[in-house]
Amino acid sequence: MTSAGTLARPGLVLGQSMALRYALALAALVAALLFHLSLNSPLSLADQWGLLWGRPPESFEDFQFVYAALPRVILAVLVGAVMALVGSLLQQVTQNPLLSPMTLGAASGAWLALVCLSVWAPALTSDWGAWFALGGSIVSVVLVLLIAGRGGLSGLPVILAGMATHILMGAIATAIILLNQYATNNLFIWGAGDLTQTDWQWVTWLLPKLSVAVIVLLLAPRPLTLLRLGDAGAGARGLSTGPVLVVLLLLSLWLVASAITAVGVISFIGLITPNIARNLGARRAGDELVFSLLLGAVFLLLTDCIAVAASGWFPDMVPSGTAAALIGAPALIWFARKRLSARDQTALELPEGVPRVSRRTWLLAPVVLLALVLLSLCFKPDAFSFLHPLQSLRWPSDLVLSLRWPRIVTAACAGVGMALAGLILQRLIRNPLASPDILGMSAGATLALVLFTVFVGGSIHEAGPFVAFAGSAGVLALLLVLGRRTQYSPGIMILVGISLAAMIEAMVQFVLAKATEDAYTIIGWLSGSTYRVSDAKALWLAGGTVILFGLALATSRWLTLISAGDAIAEARGLNTSRARLLLLVLVCACCALVTAIMGPIAFVGLLAPHVATLMGARKVWPQLWLAPLVGMVLMLFSDWLGWSLLYPKQMPAGTIAAILGGSYFIFLLARRRLR
């Protein structure tokens, strides 16, 4: 009897602890509900209670409570609960605490699909939006899984693959928005994540679709428990993990797609809530699912309270998704620093290519570059014919020449600048996937320029490179401070950069959500455009690029020694701390110069050094020459394609480069995994 009582005591204590945990969470949910309603309605609690129990609305405040405040609070509960449930499900299936609909790329795929639907078939959005969003999510997640592979689901590779897919999907969505501006007027605020309601339409639409969550709660706990034993352990107990993973993934994507269709992209709730649930004691599979669901509702309610309160402080409404990102990004940094292991740092690598640069490559690269310059100068898209293509080539008039050469110079210099920035970063942190856009430096420059335009006034094209440099340097300072504790390990640095980029992107979305006439100007600039670059700015960019390129050549010895390791570098007399700092300042200068003149450029800084390596530039010196050549070729081709492909319409070179570079990057990684 004594022994049985001793054995039962831990279970009893555990049950009491769980009951207390759920009681506190329910109390927090009720408190958050009441607080949210008090912020969103001037009615007293007694009046709200009367309306809830059937009193007909009479005044404006009554109607505002019934048709705006109540639907909003219910949507916050539903979406928060579902996103947290999906996050917990994904993290338990993959055993990766950093996985969520956002980091898996599902949200960006759904966003792209809904942008396509809004542009080309808006009448289908209300009835078929969730299905199209589901299709977009599936395509995006399949891409991520192909890149990361099943073995990469438990570490950093899937996070990096999700980020690459996110950038690619975002670039395609931006291209569609720019080409169809009149059909996308309402997409900015929706893309920022908006819970504002004027009736019960979205609640009644969303509620039956989220009933799938009940199936998940009933069926998932046993398979998830067995999956914790590993594939072999689960198989020994009669569970085939493959079909279980597919079914659970499809159910998760359906829930995410439905929520995004209703309220737009609200990130981070699905990432941080399951981690907090585990820290509060939710250990068993079913317990974690239910407790995450409960906490998700509480967190999104509180986050939306901040958005509602902030909307009263600012002249414009603050989207709920922006508030969620501003809170969630620091949380991601905190969890990343605790969870990432050393093996995550180099788990995802690119193909290596040939051992040295051939003479043919050195001869062909300048020829290709010259051919692209001549094509950009001489091509007349309105005279092009497949039967007589050469007739579309003729030397331009003085007027056309004066319009085209600044674009050519700008595109070429942007390719050089971003290639140099990516090359130096990859050498410094010894990771082939580092680039200014992934580490958040381009986003820092972008944020500084957008905030300058909003609060100081004037065109974003007039803000100047010093403002952009301040933004890049600010992100760099944060990276250095946050990375010091982990000795600047590549995995931590990249994940911190991803978090900062997501937070800055949310703030930019907040600015765009104002839906003013400047929104399309800003989004056009965010796409990396050469349209409005003047002669003087092109020459200014060229001069700055030449200086930065010279400085990069002068520091080639530092890069070579640091690439070999800090111990070797210091043994050869190099002050590695000072060298790193100066090289990082050089990276900031490259990002700021290009971003201030042309806008943020994605993937060029990542791919140009890698393509140079594939062509045989393994050492620093040849890579310093070949990577800028590759960057120039990519940007010149993107710029030419942008104005000739859809003539007389134009697409920004940065968007074309992101689509081309992102597609090639994903192809490289997927091919490596499939081998």
Side-chain angles (χ1 to χ4, degrees), residues 594-608:
V594 173
T595 307
I597 302 296
M598 188 177 168
I601 307 295
F603 279 115
V604 176
L606 173 67
L607 282 180

Side-chain angles (χ1 to χ4, degrees), residues 321-339:
T322 300
L326 293 178
I327 296 171
L332 174 59
I333 295 172
W334 188 76
F335 283 117
R337 294 176 67 192
K338 290 186 64 176
R339 300 287 183 178

